[in-house]
Amino acid sequence: MSFPYLLSGLFWLGALLLSAGLLRRARLWRRGRAAPASWRGLLAAPKRYFVDLHRVVARDPAAARAHVAAAGGGTAALLLIALNYGLLLHQRWLDLLLAASAVLMLIGAALMRARRRAPPARLSLGEWQRLPARLACFALGALLVAALAGGEVWLSAAGQGLAAVALSLLALGGAELALGIGLGRPMKHAVAGLLHLAFHPRAERFAGKSADLKPLNLAAGELGVARAADFAWNRLLSFDACVQCGKCEAACPAFAAGQPLNPKRLIQDLVASMGGGGPAYAGSPHPGRPAAAAASADRDIVGGVLAADTLWSCTTCRACVENCPMLIEHVDAVIDLRRHQTLTRGELPGKGAAALANLRHTDTVGGHPLRARYHWAADLDLPLLREGESVDWLLLAGEGAFDMRYQRALRALLTVLKAAGLRVAALGEAERDCGDLARRLGDEAGFQRLALANIATLGRYRFTRIVTPDPHVFHCLANEYPALGGHYEVWHHSRLLDQLLETRAIRVRSRDSAEPLSYHDPCYLGRYNEGYGAPRRVLAGIGIQVVEMSRSGRDARCCGWGGGAAFTDVPGPRRIPDMRMDDVRAAGAGRVAVACPNCTAMLEGVSGARAEVVELAELVAERLETGPEAGQERGDVRRAAAQGRLAKEEA
């Protein structure tokens, strides 16, 4: 048989093995729950791969270059082999394109191999170490094919020897892909990753930022995830997309603190829970934890492949999600598993159970009387909104209102809002907890009770917008209440302060700060809601130059409060807020600005010498001009703004 036809047979054998393996793996995914998925996602997959995925990959230029060369060259080579030999076209110009693709793939494999000679600790080893060599084999085989198939060279004895080498190299390298998906080998991510992008469990992520948790249908008996089959089928698929690069591991604050959570290992534990077999995990473990029990699809995940305190170590900061090049949603999986632990077992460590009990009995996390929430404003003439009245801005103070330290920040905020002449009111004792903590601790029933009660309460009042200094309240009301029928225009106070400065509704004494100041990004304002710019514009607007920490913006380290971690308090060699304060010191800052009551509490709880923690509104209030000229100017600005609005309405 001629060499080109042998190539054709080898291609179709590989395609058959790949299809059989995919069907085998698909049976594991189909054990999961039904989930909506449109086949139109396949049409969207190229955009999601080349744009959305590569936005993340490009943050590591060296890895991006290797990936573009290896994956791009390999994909092109496969398509050209399929076209020229699978379909028996045998066109010389296609062989020339194949040679160029093979060279590109070979360069990518060399870059990957060089990186793995001294790999960073976050990379998995084992079978992943041989992957660059296997890719190089395929590239060399494709290069030989392009050289031999265009003429009669393969008819000579030497040519036949080279043809045999080419076929052997193609078979050895191609086996990684053809057998990888069925046997759970490293190259399974190439197929599972593409399908994951097409049928992503958060398809709305590709239309804009989306981090809201989806409500459980409690009436239908949905109580979270116990076994792999309780996950949606496309979430099981997403676990198989993991490339074990460890970028989630490097970003995780719990892992850095030595708590028993490694998000990369977590995803591999969930892969193992499907029961499909595969090579042994060869990456960093969960800190301080021995190897997990043998995986079984019929066993509960928690107590089987996962220890419970691994789940409770997560701060839900989404640093893992933000840094995952395959766009896997680690936090959603953690919350689904927590829901089962909380709703069916009632098993929470630390003070988590006490916090949920307080929410059930008092509608506050700390067990405080609701009427005490606004005691801090007794002398500030803050009106309480009454039914039938209307107001422009409804202030929701959140749970920070019960903390004596944060009351200073709330007083500063109210002082600024009153100086701007805004019509602001509060609910008083009608304000309950928003339910964020309950939801993150897995108490979906408690969250829905609080959310529905708050929605009913807010429905009795008339207001234009809600403003809150708490990113957790902001996120809940803006992004998670709509699924339950609550639709509001919600502003975080940093956005409002930014607008007041921009429109000169307030006048401040802008002066350069002699002392370096850094800014800490709250996770629920930054990664959850892209709220990076407004706080920095506020600081610049009052004359403060920000000294950025090495981990800031989307890479900011969590303060350690989120996800109820401050209540579950899983121990580790270090505390997350201590590490964050180290980041402040490393930036050379003596003060750190914050824009969240929980971040304030965690950073001020750092023992020993530390930077001064100051809230964003406090910095604005201490520079506020309060003289008659400022009042006259603010009045002029407000009149001009009102006239502008009136002109627009008349037009």
Side-chain angles (χ1 to χ4, degrees):
M1 183 180 292
S2 68
F3 180 55
Y5 288 99
L6 285 173
L7 276 174
S8 178
L10 183 62
F11 169 77
W12 286 112
L13 175 61
L16 181 63
L17 291 173
L18 178 64
S19 300
L22 179 57
L23 289 173
R24 179 179 185 274
R25 202 71 190 179
R27 283 198 291 270
L28 299 179
W29 303 332
R30 291 183 63 189
R31 293 177 183 172
R33 291 185 296 103
S38 171
W39 286 100
R40 286 178 296 189
L42 287 171
L43 300 178
K47 178 265 179 184
R48 294 174 181 180
Y49 180 84
F50 288 109
V51 178
D52 299 289
L53 184 148
H54 271 276
R55 282 176 183 158
V56 181
V57 175
R59 295 174 197 164
D60 184 345
R65 287 191 293 269
H67 182 263
V68 167
T75 302
L78 278 171
L79 291 175
L80 289 165
I81 290 172
L83 187 64
N84 208 22
Y85 298 101
L87 299 182
L88 304 177
L89 296 182
H90 300 165
Q91 297 293 310
R92 181 59 180 162
W93 66 273
L94 290 176
D95 285 330
L96 295 176
L97 290 178
L98 176 60
S101 300
V103 169
L104 181 62
M105 184 181 181
L106 194 59
I107 292 171
L111 291 173
M112 292 173 62
R113 178 58 184 160
R115 189 162 174 255
R116 285 187 169 269
R117 285 198 181 97
R122 61 180 173 82
L123 284 179
S124 287
L125 304 179
E127 293 205 3
W128 289 90
Q129 284 294 89
R130 78 180 188 191
L131 190 57
R134 294 297 177 89
L135 295 177
C137 286
F138 185 87
L140 287 171
L143 192 59
L144 281 174
V145 163
L148 293 171
E152 303 299 320
V153 178
W154 60 272
L155 293 175
S156 67
Q160 289 179 7
L162 287 174
V165 171
L167 291 173
S168 299
L169 289 172
L170 280 178
L172 183 62
E176 287 292 326
L177 178 63
L179 301 177
I181 187 67
L183 300 179
R185 302 291 174 179
M187 278 301 289
K188 79 175 188 297
H189 80 270
V191 179
L194 181 63
L195 294 174
H196 161 60
L197 292 176
F199 304 115
H200 199 283
R202 261 190 198 279
E204 65 272 22
R205 176 174 179 172
F206 302 103
K209 192 70 177 179
S210 171
D212 56 301
L213 293 172
K214 309 305 180 187
L216 293 181
N217 187 344
L218 299 169
E222 292 184 6
L223 298 173
V225 168
R227 292 178 288 276
D230 297 329
F231 280 114
W233 72 268
N234 52 356
R235 198 165 294 282
L236 295 177
L237 163 62
S238 75
F239 302 149
D240 268 337
C242 177
V243 296
Q244 298 193 39
C245 65
K247 290 182 178 178
C248 58
E249 173 186 311
C252 178
F255 180 81
Q259 294 174 349
L261 168 62
N262 177 350
K264 180 180 72 172
R265 178 64 198 256
L266 169 73
I267 295 300
Q268 294 310 305
D269 288 339
L270 296 176
V271 170
S273 74
M274 290 190 270
Y281 174 72
S284 303
H286 297 297
R289 288 293 178 272
S296 170
D298 300 322
R299 291 189 60 186
D300 282 2
I301 293 171
V302 178
V305 296
L306 270 182
D309 57 2
T310 293
L311 295 180
W312 301 115
S313 297
C314 179
T315 67
T316 68
C317 70
R318 286 182 68 85
C320 53
V321 177
E322 187 70 48
N323 285 278
C324 177
M326 297 306 295
L327 311 183
I328 298 170
E329 298 278 346
H330 309 62
V331 174
D332 287 0
V334 167
I335 297 299
D336 278 340
L337 290 162
R338 284 185 178 185
R339 283 166 164 169
H340 184 266
Q341 290 293 105
T342 300
L343 294 174
T344 67
R345 301 182 183 181
E347 297 176 356
L348 292 87
K351 298 178 181 178
L356 294 183
N358 284 337
L359 285 170
R360 285 193 296 272
H361 299 308
T362 69
D363 291 338
T364 71
V365 172
H368 305 287
L370 290 174
R371 63 181 179 274
R373 190 185 298 272
Y374 286 91
H375 282 180
W376 55 269
D379 61 332
L380 294 180
D381 192 27
L382 174 63
L384 299 183
L385 187 59
R386 303 187 185 281
E387 294 184 31
E389 298 177 347
S390 65
V391 71
D392 294 334
W393 294 93
L394 176 63
L395 173 64
L396 295 183
E399 293 296 291
F402 297 113
D403 178 70
M404 293 185 66
R405 163 61 185 93
Y406 202 73
Q407 287 171 5
R408 298 207 315 263
L410 289 168
R411 289 176 64 85
L413 174 61
L414 187 54
T415 299
V416 173
L417 300 185
K418 290 171 70 69
L422 299 185
R423 295 179 61 238
V424 184
L427 293 180
E429 63 181 293
E431 180 183 335
R432 301 174 183 83
D433 182 86
C434 69
D436 167 79
L437 180 66
R439 180 165 244 192
R440 268 68 197 175
L441 288 178
D443 185 7
E444 180 68 11
F447 165 76
Q448 292 191 22
R449 179 188 68 81
L450 287 165
L452 292 172
N454 283 327
I455 290 169
T457 297
L458 292 170
R460 299 198 300 268
Y461 298 93
R462 294 163 56 196
F463 53 87
T464 304
R465 300 180 184 90
I466 294 171
V467 61
T468 178
D470 189 331
H472 296 260
V473 175
F474 165 65
H475 176 71
C476 257
L477 270 68
N479 301 316
E480 299 194 339
Y481 276 28
L484 298 175
H487 300 272
Y488 316 103
E489 184 178 350
V490 190
W491 287 36
H492 185 257
H493 78 314
S494 62
R495 179 184 175 190
L496 181 53
L497 293 173
D498 180 32
Q499 186 186 76
L500 295 179
L501 288 167
E502 182 184 6
T503 60
R504 300 182 66 197
I506 56 175
R507 185 174 175 181
V508 295
R509 298 185 299 275
S510 180
R511 63 178 187 272
D512 292 337
S513 176
E515 187 175 17
L517 180 143
S518 196
Y519 172 69
H520 165 74
D521 290 274
C523 302
Y524 276 70
L525 180 61
R527 277 185 289 270
Y528 274 76
N529 289 285
E530 296 289 331
Y532 302 113
R536 288 171 170 81
R537 288 193 296 270
V538 169
L539 293 170
I542 59 177
I544 293 178
Q545 183 176 359
V546 175
V547 179
E548 295 286 4
M549 290 177 263
S550 60
R551 292 187 59 165
S552 62
R554 68 178 68 256
D555 294 320
R557 196 194 304 271
C558 180
C559 74
W561 191 95
F567 295 87
T568 55
D569 198 22
V570 178
R574 298 209 63 196
R575 295 179 67 246
I576 295 173
D578 293 344
M579 294 191 303
R580 190 54 171 160
M581 192 58 72
D582 286 345
D583 294 338
V584 177
R585 294 191 192 97
R591 305 176 85 191
V592 56
V594 293
C596 170
N598 305 315
C599 297
T600 303
M602 296 301 288
L603 294 179
E604 287 212 329
V606 172
S607 59
R610 58 169 174 78
E612 179 187 359
V613 181
V614 58
E615 216 277 342
L616 195 65
E618 294 174 337
L619 289 166
V620 177
E622 70 183 21
R623 287 164 170 74
L624 197 63
E625 287 279 10
T626 56
E629 292 183 1
Q632 177 65 42
E633 182 174 335
R634 285 193 296 272
D636 293 342
V637 170
R638 287 195 296 273
R639 281 192 292 274
Q643 290 170 0
R645 286 193 298 270
L646 182 60
K648 288 180 181 179
E649 291 171 1
E650 290 176 347

